[in-house]
Amino acid sequence: MAKQRCLPTNFFKDPDVMALSTGDVRLILIGLVLNADDEGRGLAHARILGRELDYPPDAIEAALQEMEACELVQCYQVERHRYYSLR
């Protein structure tokens, strides 16, 4: 079954989103939203996300840390794998 994801129409009016340091970080956030499951969770593996979103792994990791500091995502570990949850 195909999944569809939509961004809210006021996405770029959200002060938390606009507080992110660069447009690239905002694009990575959009990629996380579009790749998340129905509960807003996904694999937070920088190399895999980097391939999917066409960014180097270090840029993905820095963006995840910035988004976590801004409380837009929460990263957590389950056994050997790291995941993110959209807030």
Side-chain angles (χ1 to χ4, degrees):
M1 183 167 141
K3 66 178 182 175
Q4 294 182 345
R5 298 284 177 257
C6 298
L7 293 175
T9 56
N10 62 351
F11 185 81
F12 290 106
K13 294 178 184 175
D14 184 319
D16 294 328
V17 172
M18 296 314 294
L20 295 171
S21 63
T22 67
D24 284 339
V25 177
R26 287 188 285 277
L27 284 174
I28 292 169
L29 175 59
I30 291 170
L32 296 181
V33 170
L34 297 177
N35 281 316
D37 65 11
D38 290 340
E39 284 77 34
R41 298 176 307 220
L43 190 62
H45 191 282
R47 282 187 176 177
I48 294 171
L49 287 171
R51 282 194 298 265
E52 290 182 13
L53 303 177
D54 197 27
Y55 280 94
D58 59 331
I60 298 290
E61 188 58 44
L64 284 168
Q65 290 176 8
E66 181 177 345
M67 287 182 266
E68 194 166 23
C70 293
E71 298 182 354
L72 293 168
V73 301
Q74 179 180 11
C75 293
Y76 59 95
Q77 190 90 16
V78 176
E79 296 180 8
R80 297 182 342 194
H81 301 289
R82 184 171 167 224
Y83 298 89
Y84 68 88
S85 177
L86 300 169
R87 296 182 140 194

